[in-house]
Amino acid sequence: MNLESLVHVCLAGLSTGMFIWLVASGLTLIFGVLGVLNFAHGSFYMLGAYCAFTALKLMGGNFWLGLLVGPLVVCAVGFVIERFFLRHVYGLELPYQLLLTFAFVLLFDNLVKIIWGAGSIGSPSVPGLSGSVNILGRFFPVYNLFIIVVGPLVALGLWALIEKTWYGRIIRAASTEREMAAAIGVRVPALFTGVFVFGTWLGAVGGALAVPYIGLLTPGMGEAIIIEAFVVAVIGGLGSLKGAFLGALVIGLLSSFGTRFLPAFDMFLTFILMAAVLLWRPQGFFGKAV
Amino acid sequence: MMLQVEGINTYYRKSHILQDVSFSVEAGEVVALLGRNGVGKTTSLRSVMGLTAPRNGSIRFQDREVAGQAPYVMAKAGMAYMPDDLKIFPDLTCEENLEIARRLSGRDGYWNQGRVEELFPVLGDRRKQLGILLSGGEKKMLGMGRALMANPDMILLDEPSEGLAPLVVDHLAAVIEAIRDKGITLLLADQNLKFCRRVCGRGYILEKGRVVHADTIAAIWDDEAVIKQYLAL
Amino acid sequence: MSREILKIVSLNKAFGRVQAAADINLSLQEGVLTSIIGPNGAGKSTLINILSGSIPPDSGRIYFLGTDITRLPVHRRVKLGLCRSFQLVNIFPELTVFENILLPALAAADRTRHLLRAIRRETAVRAQVAQLLERIGLQHAADTVASALSHGDQRVLEVGVALAAKPKLLFLDEPTAGMNPVERVRVLENIRELSHSKQTTFVLVEHDMDIVFSLSDRVIVLHHGEVIGDGTTDAVKNDPRVREVYLGQEVPA
Amino acid sequence: MGNNGWTRRRFIQAGLLTTGAAALGVGVTRPTGLWAATPKIKGPIKVGYQAIMSGTLAGYGEFHKMGVTLAMEEINAGGGIAGNKLEVEFRDSTLKAPEAIQNARYFVDSWGADFLGGVDSSGQALALAPVMAELDRILIVTHAATEKLTEEQVFKNGIKQIFRICTPTYQDGNAAAFVAKDLPAATWATISPKYEYGYTCWDMFKNTLTKLKPGVSFTAESWAPFGTTDFRSHINTILDAKPEGLYSTEWAGELITMVRQAGQAGLFKSIKHVMFPVGAAMDVLEGLGADMPDNVWISGRYFFLYPNNSTNNDWVQRFRKRWNHYPAYVSETGYSAMFALKKAVEAAGSKETKAVIQALEGMTMDSPAGQRVFRKEDHQAMYDVPWGLTVASDKYPFKIMGKQILVPAKECFNRPPFEGEGTRPPF
Amino acid sequence: MKRYAPILFAGIALAALVLIGLIGGRFLIYLTSRVMILSIFAMGYNILFGRTGLLSFGHAAFYAGGAYGLGLFMLHVLPHPLLGIVVGVACAALLAVVIGFFCVRHTEIYFAMLTLAFGMMVFSLIWNLRDITGGDDGLVGIIRTPIALGPLSIPIIKPQSYYFLILALLLLSVFLIYRIRHSPFGLVLAGIRENEKRVAFAGVSLKNYRLGAFVLSGAFAGLAGALGTLLESSTSPFSAHWSHSAEPILVTLIGGLQTFAGPMVGSAVFIVLREVIERFTHNWMLWFSIILLVIIMGFRGGIVGILSGRRK
């Protein structure tokens, strides 16, 4: 093993982790505030990718414009789901919520196939971020460096939003004492819709950003990521953004180093980690004690 | 008339909790809803606040029909509510708990951080403490303070005296008088008739979801038959 | 002097900066009806939670009939004969009243491990349950789903569920709150009777001073996690410290 | 509001009950078709075709469909099979064996299929074999590549109802070794799928290359689980080992992702000899476009520019005209499977399973991929697919095969009885 | 009259099942076999889910435990289906003891996530222990040899005769689960669902009884897995995948969560519905998801709940 390998495995792990973080952040936010474990979050990721792709095609191939517009379309989908479906199951038990969001997974997987076709679609390159840079004699894509920067920025932004702003304070209040927040004047249903749509947006942006990284769009691309995002959200502590960020880093680096240095590495290790964390600290790294 | 409730019926899931409940509160009055646990006192307050909408009947607040309005509408219209379990926001500091109520209500007036801390000095000491770390007594004061911060026209208090040592109940009575003197109307649900006698003018007795008796508190206090039959004393 | 049923040695518990139990040393005697009083937050609930096994103490020891139970889980304590009721209604809402009592009764009779035996055939236990239902006055509601009972009846059932485990020592947390006078008298009669027959030793947590002073043989006053008063009802009523922090002028001396 | 909610819910309930009842009614009253199969050719020839139509590989189902549909249209336009119309019904196989088995049983027992085709997953093909024996219908496998299907199920276990029209793992493993032996690379490494297909091909490649060129060594293996979207760590493993050659049986979307990420990491600059046994698949070539590096060895189960004869070129034209696509390899195998059935049924003069098996065994047929012969022993179709080096072309918006090497199937496909050293290439 | 309705329905259902076995076409027999196997899986699962109130996301692991237990036993030890089933059930139960030991420490979402993690570990193990499990190809060629009982030999190679073995085991399962439900043990499980704190204060060890429910439901999952493997003559790692764990949940909610017949009715509806949808359209997922949405938004008591007039 040499230094260049170590650095590159590290970089690979960081970029993987930041991707999972982008998806897990929305999942965690929605769980933390609304208390809903949203299976369909992977679908938002997939829809984000496809919508950004279409927006890009319609608007002359500008990646950034696609990134801007695509996820907004997905937000409309998120709005409809929250407003007309999820809202009616908040009071119900966990299985009903899971089943409802699971139904949307099936629905969107199939809709994507109908709208965009069953085959995979190659991704466009990103102007300005398409090359690779030489780091210690080995090449690393600029785009991945960009993601490694974007991830922490998103984390910082979310932290500032929750901890430092007026809306953050309302969100913190409403996430713990829903009724009392309503009784002091918070429009809780509207707030929840807003948070859900925002979480949807985060997932969709994750998807839009993932396309140049994975290199193609496929129907069903959300299913692999949702399990990883679940794992990250769980080991970080369900509902804790700080924990999800750390969890994503751990999972990213674990899979990167595991793949490189433990030939038998598999998701087996990931799930052992998840089980161990649950047994040792069910509240995860940063979750509140249960 | 500050609040007029007429013939409301409220359900929780399939149970018919409130059956044709009517009561009214004049501006500046302190009125008590009396009765044992589970007779519908809390649900009455929740119905007024909009947390559990009545299926029918009328609720008029400052001469506006408000039955079925969302709680946030009630809050902005000048109604404040302190639940029996207080529901202090655990992730917010004492100060933030107060401030958020003031800002959300959008109402200015006599009550502000300083005046509330004057009334409950302990809240000043705990200003930066997270809600989750407060003791039971501190939470109760914060709950009252938070209701005041909205500068409401009327406050609904659920079980204000519950769990307080007899000594502290004395203090609470004084606080409620002070609040009333600042022009706020109060409706409280309580089981402690002794306490109610000190602060309330009138009272309604509930039993099995119905109002079974209404009179001045003084009259109720003297009516042993009513107390024996309906009140847990 | 009767047998010592529970012994608490330098028990401590803190939640953050709040000291909920501060070096508590107590000894409870069999058959002595004891009440614990004190303002909210004095540590009454914490003490019951620690003694019944819901939360572990930070330090200290608890002995039940001479056995160290400090680290025993809840169900093992119940098996030894130490049980409790709850302040809020804490029953099985979707089971019938009969089943609510049957479950702890079966557990007390060690019959719950039977996988394939029909519950109909547990005649001995069923007879006991019917007896208990009659005793607490709920025999008419045996087949009613518990959540459909009135609040007062649910409170009565709550006490019945606790009694069904046939405890030697039973903590009752505000047993009569929310009951109407008829129910209240029935439950208090039961408590008094069982206590006198020495089947069960009761420890009450109560706010209602009338009940406390009419029923108790011994009263313990807690404040900020400390025992500040302990003795017969009269002794406690006249304790200046107790009057200062808790009773005020409310209770005539 | 409360009232509205009630009526709406009632409305939905009523609606679902009606639809459900109607749907069930149709399901029950449809003929089960147990008696549909008759010894003589009568009525339409029915083929039940299953392929993956959901999830990340759903594109392959579409490719299958295009080829099969085109064949059906052409056969029916040309008078059908021995005068009978060809009917095809498609079903989603997913990747789960029980689904494939239910599909097969539906096709035969309920819909009345005379023949079956399709199947992408090796595991499904293996699980289907005994079912085909029980149902006694011919299944022509058009994509699943495991050699166990033909060697064990057909040859050893004697399940004669299975035929395979596509190339098996030999083409991906053994044939690659024949090409690799002439390359100036003495050390090889692999990034391959972490499942049987990947393991098998790499083993074949290693064994055959070692025999052909003693002294080569294999320095690194990195196995990527199904659904991998991030190959960067695998690529680092390979770069650290510094092999002269890279062999990878990644396929479909995962190959696209891997090639992209390998290109970004500069892998193709440091490793000169790269072989992708399924790199000539159209979805990969089109998906990568200019991102597919030049001078990489690719092959597949069919490549649309080989053989360069009129049969193939005309077919590609017709296919383009019909679908506005270049034919993927499963489009060709699906298409040819229909024509194989046509030829066999017409030769047998019957659609009875036993007779058609006899007709198929040893049958030679012309197909877009060239001449195919169904080997009698294991029912494997023998035909040649070239290996070639990628090169850009003015005519196509993707890379095609430039320099081509043909390793004849006869030389690299294992031979019966499939056991012992002598049965494995080089013979 | 209303009291006898369930008995009447059960009688009709049993008669229908026997009739299908006697005169049904091969596909109908196969499909009904699958319905019965899924019923066993779901009914066993419901001991944990409906009765005890624990949502497991890893029950496919026990299905696979039964499947691979039977498969390996039949392939390598003794080709005796009945013994194979016993071995499969034992494997599943053993696996459930080990996994359950860890999982029953938590409840609700933590329990669900823990079972998901262990289930996926089993999936991963099956996928990777190629030499034993055949990797992703799975175990194939598990033939339904005749059941040898002393001098008696019962052939089950024909789908029809195997159908009656499944039916017999389904009836046995229904009987056992019914008895468990109405036993003191079953009452404790219901108590755990309703109020686990109270159960502890009745002197019952929560962990032990949760584990008991877990192992029982795991054993039934193993029975389903063993029967499924014999039906398909093969098994694959997907039998342990989390998406397979979702099936009994789906089926139970469709049929009715806290009803006895719910899982069976749900299984029939699930399999028949999917088969029917597939005959109309290749977009079965779309239509199935729409039906699911309708059930969740409007039919929450499940089919049995609606039929028996209970609403949630």
Side-chain angles (χ1 to χ4, degrees):
Chain A
M1 185 180 65
N2 50 32
L3 184 66
E4 75 184 68
S5 178
L6 203 65
V7 168
H8 275 267
V9 170
C10 224
L11 284 171
L14 286 178
S15 59
T16 310
M18 285 308 101
F19 257 108
I20 305 175
W21 153 245
L22 285 176
V23 181
S25 60
L27 185 77
T28 302
L29 184 70
I30 290 174
F31 183 81
V33 179
L34 282 70
V36 171
L37 199 52
N38 182 18
F39 251 116
H41 201 68
S43 300
F44 296 153
Y45 166 89
M46 172 180 69
L47 288 174
Y50 274 93
C51 288
F53 174 81
T54 299
L56 174 155
K57 286 274 149 172
L58 291 176
M59 288 183 298
N62 186 322
F63 175 80
W64 304 108
L65 220 54
L67 182 63
L68 193 73
V69 176
L72 288 181
V73 177
V74 187
C75 283
V77 175
F79 174 81
V80 171
I81 291 181
E82 200 281 340
R83 179 66 189 76
F84 297 104
F85 295 93
L86 260 188
R87 180 174 289 186
H88 303 283
V89 300
Y90 285 143
L92 297 179
E93 292 135 16
L94 181 69
Y96 290 102
Q97 300 180 351
L98 286 175
L99 195 65
L100 180 69
T101 56
F102 183 68
F104 280 109
V105 173
L106 298 178
L107 185 76
F108 290 128
D109 275 2
N110 206 317
L111 276 183
V112 162
K113 224 174 72 183
I114 293 171
I115 298 172
W116 282 281
S120 57
I121 301 174
S123 81
S125 62
V126 185
L129 297 176
S130 54
S132 292
V133 287
N134 188 329
I135 299 173
L136 298 171
R138 197 172 284 182
F139 290 92
F140 194 76
V142 177
Y143 188 78
N144 290 39
L145 287 176
F146 162 71
I147 292 303
I148 294 177
V149 176
V150 165
L153 284 180
V154 169
L156 205 67
L158 278 174
W159 173 80
L161 174 73
I162 301 290
E163 296 295 330
K164 296 290 157 196
T165 67
W166 170 241
Y167 281 107
R169 193 182 293 179
I170 296 178
I171 288 171
R172 274 183 290 151
S175 65
T176 42
E177 295 291 354
R178 222 170 270 194
E179 279 201 332
M180 198 57 220
I184 61 166
V186 178
R187 296 179 62 168
V188 174
L191 179 75
F192 278 15
T193 308
V195 169
F196 190 83
V197 168
F198 182 61
T200 305
W201 181 79
L202 283 171
V205 165
L209 286 174
V211 173
Y213 173 79
I214 296 172
L216 78 169
L217 299 123
T218 46
M221 67 189 277
E223 272 167 50
I225 197 92
I226 190 65
I227 291 295
E228 276 183 337
F230 266 7
V231 174
V232 160
V234 167
I235 67 171
L238 277 165
S240 156
L241 285 165
K242 208 163 44 167
F245 184 74
L246 195 70
L249 273 182
V250 168
I251 290 296
L253 290 170
L254 180 75
S255 80
S256 180
F257 276 88
T259 303
R260 173 61 190 86
F261 297 109
L262 281 169
F265 174 79
D266 203 65
M267 60 180 167
F268 189 68
L269 272 191
T270 318
F271 283 107
I272 282 200
L273 178 72
M274 174 169 159
V277 168
L278 277 171
L279 286 170
W280 162 66
R281 249 185 95 81
Q283 68 271 40
F285 295 157
F286 289 112
K288 293 192 195 82
V290 275
Chain B
M1 190 66 69
M2 179 62 72
L3 178 73
Q4 181 138 28
V5 174
E6 262 175 65
I8 57 168
N9 284 279
T10 305
Y11 293 74
Y12 179 69
R13 300 222 170 126
K14 270 182 282 180
S15 335
H16 192 171
I17 308 281
L18 297 186
Q19 304 173 20
D20 284 321
V21 167
S22 303
F23 54 86
S24 62
V25 186
E26 298 276 358
E29 253 194 317
V30 181
V31 172
L33 298 179
L34 297 157
R36 285 185 297 269
N37 274 347
V39 295
K41 300 191 301 292
T42 296
T43 308
S44 298
L45 297 191
R46 289 176 58 89
S47 290
V48 170
M49 194 64 209
L51 291 162
T52 313
R55 202 170 274 179
N56 52 41
S58 151
I59 302 175
R60 296 183 71 78
F61 177 50
Q62 296 186 329
D63 298 322
R64 239 179 72 210
E65 179 60 48
V66 293
Q69 289 286 4
Y72 77 91
V73 176
M74 296 303 295
K76 292 198 197 293
M79 182 77 83
Y81 171 61
M82 185 189 83
D84 54 347
D85 50 356
L86 303 169
K87 300 241 157 69
I88 299 304
F89 301 119
D91 291 350
L92 267 50
T93 62
C94 199
E95 187 181 16
E96 286 174 327
N97 261 290
L98 292 172
E99 179 60 16
I100 193 172
R102 190 192 65 75
R103 232 177 117 176
L104 278 167
S105 75
R107 300 164 65 92
D108 279 321
Y110 177 82
W111 297 101
N112 55 31
Q113 187 94 24
R115 294 233 162 83
V116 167
E117 284 176 6
E118 209 173 288
L119 192 62
F120 305 110
V122 70
L123 296 184
D125 306 339
R126 300 265 173 267
R127 200 175 287 163
K128 298 289 173 196
Q129 190 88 250
L130 282 181
I132 196 171
L133 296 173
L134 297 175
S135 74
E138 290 163 355
K139 277 184 182 161
K140 188 142 258 175
M141 291 175 214
L142 182 54
M144 304 252 318
R146 188 175 55 187
L148 290 173
M149 285 294 277
N151 280 299
D153 298 320
M154 180 168 180
I155 301 182
L156 310 171
L157 293 175
D158 199 354
E159 305 277 2
S161 77
E162 188 204 18
L164 295 179
L167 266 182
V168 186
V169 174
D170 291 348
H171 173 81
L172 180 73
V175 165
I176 287 181
E177 273 159 24
I179 294 172
R180 186 195 57 197
D181 292 346
K182 291 282 175 274
I184 294 178
T185 309
L186 290 125
L187 174 63
L188 31 122
D190 212 301
Q191 304 196 48
N192 188 338
L193 186 59
K194 280 177 219 152
F195 165 71
C196 289
R197 188 171 68 132
R198 296 189 47 191
V199 295
C200 302
R202 291 190 298 120
Y204 293 88
I205 297 177
L206 277 77
E207 171 77 12
K208 290 184 180 161
R210 295 175 183 277
V211 174
V212 291
H213 193 82
D215 210 332
T216 62
I217 287 286
I220 293 174
W221 180 254
D222 292 333
D223 191 339
E224 273 196 32
V226 165
I227 294 178
K228 259 239 150 70
Q229 191 173 358
Y230 300 120
L231 300 183
L233 239 178
Chain C
M1 188 79 188
S2 55
R3 187 155 66 125
E4 179 181 60
I5 192 162
L6 193 75
K7 188 175 168 192
I8 305 163
V9 183
S10 19
L11 201 67
N12 279 287
K13 179 76 192 179
F15 298 103
R17 58 180 182 83
V18 180
Q19 191 72 30
D23 195 38
I24 293 180
N25 290 284
L26 281 174
S27 167
L28 302 184
Q29 306 309 123
E30 195 165 35
V32 177
L33 206 157
T34 309
S35 289
I36 301 178
I37 61 172
N40 251 24
K44 301 185 303 278
S45 300
T46 305
L47 184 61
I48 291 204
N49 281 334
I50 293 174
L51 296 180
S52 60
S54 295
I55 50 177
D58 294 340
S59 66
R61 300 256 131 221
I62 308 161
Y63 299 91
F64 180 68
L65 291 170
T67 318
D68 185 345
I69 59 163
T70 317
R71 298 284 154 201
L72 280 192
V74 169
H75 65 98
R76 298 277 300 278
R77 295 183 199 213
V78 177
K79 278 271 174 247
L80 287 176
L82 186 156
C83 196
R84 69 168 293 185
S85 78
F86 294 85
Q87 188 178 355
L88 300 170
V89 174
N90 208 335
I91 50 179
F92 305 109
E94 296 295 316
L95 301 186
T96 64
V97 168
F98 191 84
E99 288 170 326
N100 261 279
I101 307 275
L102 182 60
L103 202 162
L106 284 167
D110 246 334
R111 318 257 344 147
T112 46
R113 273 190 298 276
H114 291 261
L115 261 184
L116 298 176
R117 188 182 167 87
I119 224 164
R120 278 182 288 110
R121 294 171 55 196
E122 297 288 351
T123 41
V125 180
R126 294 177 76 94
Q128 287 171 21
V129 173
Q131 209 179 352
L132 181 57
L133 278 178
E134 200 158 334
R135 173 167 219 161
I136 59 173
L138 284 178
Q139 69 275 28
H140 61 280
D143 293 326
T144 313
V145 172
S147 61
L149 291 181
S150 73
H151 184 82
D153 279 344
Q154 289 188 6
R155 297 290 335 221
V156 174
L157 179 59
E158 166 81 33
V159 176
V161 172
L163 286 173
K166 290 194 191 150
K168 295 194 182 87
L169 177 61
L170 179 57
F171 296 102
L172 295 174
D173 201 348
E174 299 199 36
T176 65
M179 288 183 189
N180 67 30
V182 182
E183 294 157 350
R184 180 209 289 286
V185 167
R186 198 165 61 222
V187 167
L188 292 179
E189 274 314 308
N190 265 310
I191 291 174
R192 207 181 310 239
E193 196 180 305
L194 286 166
S195 181
H196 283 165
S197 67
K198 310 250 169 177
Q199 277 180 18
T200 302
T201 305
F202 288 90
V203 177
L204 264 62
V205 170
E206 257 300 347
H207 277 120
D208 190 320
M209 292 306 132
D210 294 346
I211 293 183
V212 169
F213 291 122
S214 68
L215 207 64
S216 316
D217 302 321
R218 174 184 176 190
V219 177
I220 295 169
V221 189
L222 282 184
H223 184 59
H224 290 320
E226 274 179 82
V227 177
I228 59 159
D230 184 354
T232 61
T233 49
D234 286 339
V236 166
K237 263 190 217 174
N238 296 315
D239 187 320
R241 179 96 196 279
V242 174
R243 294 193 76 85
E244 183 197 340
V245 303
Y246 186 60
L247 295 175
Q249 296 310 309
E250 178 154 343
V251 181
Chain D
M1 181 59 219
N3 277 333
N4 283 341
W6 170 248
T7 43
R8 187 192 60 200
R9 207 172 297 145
R10 279 304 279 263
F11 175 75
I12 295 173
Q13 287 174 3
L16 188 77
L17 275 179
T18 331
T19 339
L24 278 172
V26 173
V28 171
T29 51
R30 273 210 175 184
T32 46
L34 255 182
W35 303 275
T38 45
K40 277 180 193 158
I41 309 187
K42 214 170 87 187
I45 310 276
K46 297 170 97 174
V47 176
Y49 199 97
Q50 57 174 320
I52 177 143
M53 294 179 192
S54 53
T56 49
L57 292 169
Y60 276 76
E62 293 300 312
F63 299 147
H64 279 281
K65 248 186 187 170
M66 290 178 194
V68 173
T69 307
L70 181 64
M72 183 180 74
E73 288 165 359
E74 289 184 7
I75 286 171
N76 287 338
I81 298 176
N84 293 294
K85 202 170 150 240
L86 171 64
E87 272 180 28
V88 183
E89 174 145 318
F90 294 96
R91 270 206 168 195
D92 181 4
S93 63
T94 73
L95 287 172
K96 295 175 182 172
E99 299 303 329
I101 291 173
Q102 181 172 335
N103 287 341
R105 289 185 180 274
Y106 158 75
F107 280 143
V108 175
D109 286 341
S110 186
W111 183 65
D114 302 303
F115 305 100
L116 303 188
V119 187
D120 299 278
S121 137
S122 289
Q124 284 182 328
L126 292 173
L128 273 173
V131 179
M132 298 324 296
E134 182 200 327
L135 297 174
D136 196 26
R137 286 290 186 284
I138 291 168
L139 165 68
I140 300 197
V141 173
T142 55
H143 191 190
T146 177
E147 78 292 347
K148 285 187 210 153
L149 181 67
T150 41
E151 286 181 13
E152 285 175 16
Q153 301 288 23
V154 180
F155 181 78
K156 238 186 261 164
N157 297 343
I159 297 176
K160 297 289 179 191
Q161 288 85 351
I162 302 277
F163 287 82
R164 174 161 45 209
I165 199 161
C166 63
T167 57
T169 44
Y170 312 130
Q171 170 72 17
D172 302 342
N174 293 341
F178 277 85
V179 177
K181 76 177 192 310
D182 298 324
L183 301 177
T187 50
W188 286 86
T190 189
I191 299 175
S192 280
K194 193 171 189 168
Y195 42 87
E196 290 309 308
Y197 168 68
Y199 295 128
T200 306
C201 293
W202 176 239
D203 279 346
M204 283 185 181
F205 179 76
K206 281 197 298 188
N207 292 340
T208 309
L209 187 55
T210 310
K211 279 193 201 164
L212 290 168
K213 191 177 175 182
V216 287
S217 61
F218 303 92
T219 52
E221 302 172 353
S222 197
W223 303 103
F226 184 73
T228 298
T229 53
D230 192 335
F231 286 89
R232 233 161 283 283
S233 296
H234 300 282
I235 291 164
N236 276 315
T237 305
I238 302 304
L239 289 174
D240 286 349
K242 296 192 170 62
E244 290 166 296
L246 172 71
Y247 168 91
S248 172
T249 48
E250 289 298 334
W251 60 288
E254 282 160 45
L255 181 56
I256 297 176
T257 301
M258 190 193 80
V259 170
R260 280 247 160 85
Q261 295 178 352
Q264 291 167 344
L267 179 139
F268 299 108
K269 291 197 187 86
S270 49
I271 300 175
K272 294 293 172 216
H273 307 287
V274 177
M275 305 189 78
F276 295 141
V278 221
M282 284 318 299
D283 55 320
V284 173
L285 292 174
E286 287 182 319
L288 279 167
D291 286 347
M292 172 66 98
D294 285 334
N295 293 316
V296 166
W297 288 99
I298 56 170
S299 184
R301 280 150 215 187
Y302 161 78
F303 181 60
F304 78 103
L305 291 174
Y306 180 90
N308 188 6
N309 60 21
S310 60
T311 311
N312 185 37
N313 294 342
D314 289 353
W315 182 69
V316 172
Q317 283 309 316
R318 294 203 302 279
F319 193 92
R320 292 264 298 151
K321 207 172 136 205
R322 176 70 177 85
W323 301 111
N324 195 24
H325 266 287
Y326 292 98
Y329 64 77
V330 289
S331 303
E332 195 278 338
T333 54
Y335 177 89
S336 296
M338 297 303 115
F339 276 91
L341 286 172
K342 174 177 159 70
K343 186 168 182 182
V345 168
E346 285 172 355
S350 159
K351 61 179 184 181
E352 210 190 346
T353 303
K354 207 171 157 195
V356 180
I357 290 175
Q358 268 175 6
L360 273 171
E361 283 184 340
M363 185 180 90
T364 303
M365 70 178 286
D366 279 323
S367 62
Q371 196 186 59
R372 280 181 162 99
V373 183
F374 287 95
R375 192 152 68 177
K376 197 172 185 317
E377 297 86 351
D378 65 345
H379 294 184
Q380 171 64 50
M382 306 292 283
Y383 67 106
D384 303 330
V385 183
W387 272 85
L389 276 174
T390 50
V391 67
S393 154
D394 307 337
K395 281 165 72 183
Y396 305 100
F398 49 81
K399 301 290 170 74
I400 56 166
M401 280 188 199
K403 177 189 170 188
Q404 292 179 0
I405 290 178
L406 192 72
V407 185
K410 278 190 295 192
E411 285 179 29
C412 61
F413 281 25
N414 285 10
R415 284 180 185 161
F418 303 114
E419 273 175 324
E421 276 306 292
T423 67
R424 300 206 181 91
F427 302 109
Chain E
M1 183 59 218
K2 213 181 165 193
R3 271 189 61 193
Y4 296 103
I7 299 169
L8 193 71
F9 272 117
I12 294 172
L14 181 62
L17 283 175
V18 171
L19 212 65
I20 287 171
L22 290 176
I23 60 166
R26 204 158 48 164
F27 186 64
L28 189 58
I29 283 186
Y30 171 75
L31 212 60
T32 314
S33 301
R34 280 193 70 169
V35 169
M36 291 193 292
I37 290 168
L38 184 57
S39 292
I40 295 174
F41 190 14
M43 286 186 70
Y45 184 80
N46 212 29
I47 297 176
L48 193 67
F49 182 40
R51 197 68 178 162
T52 321
L54 289 170
L55 175 69
S56 162
F57 255 113
H59 255 51
F62 311 124
Y63 184 97
Y68 278 84
L70 170 129
L72 292 170
F73 179 81
M74 298 252 312
L75 288 175
H76 301 304
V77 184
L78 187 70
H80 190 296
L82 220 48
L83 279 179
I85 290 171
V86 171
V87 169
V89 172
C91 283
L94 201 68
L95 194 62
V97 170
V98 175
I99 292 178
F101 174 78
F102 295 104
C103 292
V104 297
R105 283 148 201 266
H106 295 312
T107 55
E108 296 182 14
I109 204 155
Y110 297 99
F111 176 82
M113 288 293 141
L114 208 47
T115 48
L116 173 72
F118 278 103
M120 288 307 282
M121 277 186 227
V122 171
F123 172 73
S124 177
L125 275 182
I126 293 176
W127 190 281
N128 288 320
L129 296 175
R130 301 168 56 215
D131 296 336
I132 303 168
T133 61
D136 58 298
D137 281 350
L139 298 178
V140 291
I142 301 155
I143 299 158
R144 291 201 298 265
T145 44
I147 300 172
L149 289 173
L152 214 67
S153 174
I154 309 163
I156 53 165
I157 186 75
K158 277 171 82 181
Q160 198 175 22
S161 34
Y162 183 54
Y163 176 94
F164 282 101
L165 177 65
I166 302 176
L167 181 57
L169 288 172
L170 172 71
L171 292 178
L172 179 68
S173 303
V174 169
F175 173 73
L176 288 176
I177 291 169
Y178 183 85
R179 290 303 294 262
I180 291 170
R181 195 182 160 95
H182 292 91
S183 71
F185 182 83
L187 181 65
V188 172
L189 297 189
I192 292 176
R193 179 193 67 213
E194 294 291 314
N195 188 342
E196 54 174 43
K197 191 158 99 183
R198 207 11 142 180
V199 171
F201 280 101
V204 168
S205 160
L206 278 175
K207 270 188 214 164
N208 289 356
Y209 281 76
R210 278 200 213 117
L211 182 61
F214 196 81
V215 172
L216 275 174
S217 69
F220 282 105
L223 175 61
L227 289 174
T229 303
L230 282 176
L231 179 72
E232 319 282 17
S233 293
S234 64
T235 189
S236 81
F238 285 109
S239 61
H241 196 255
W242 70 265
S243 55
H244 192 213
S245 296
E247 264 180 37
I249 306 173
L250 224 67
V251 157
T252 308
L253 290 177
I254 292 174
L257 177 58
Q258 274 155 32
T259 57
F260 183 75
M264 282 185 283
V265 174
S267 299
V269 170
F270 178 72
I271 286 179
V272 172
L273 196 65
R274 180 163 173 186
E275 176 61 35
V276 170
I277 295 174
E278 282 213 68
R279 290 180 183 203
F280 287 103
T281 165
H282 287 146
N283 295 315
W284 79 267
M285 285 206 305
L286 181 73
W287 294 106
F288 185 70
S289 63
I290 290 171
I291 291 169
L292 263 187
L293 287 179
V294 171
I295 288 176
I296 302 162
M297 302 311 292
F299 260 118
R300 235 161 265 141
I303 292 166
V304 176
I306 296 293
L307 289 180
S308 61
R310 280 202 352 208
R311 291 172 57 89
K312 205 153 179 180

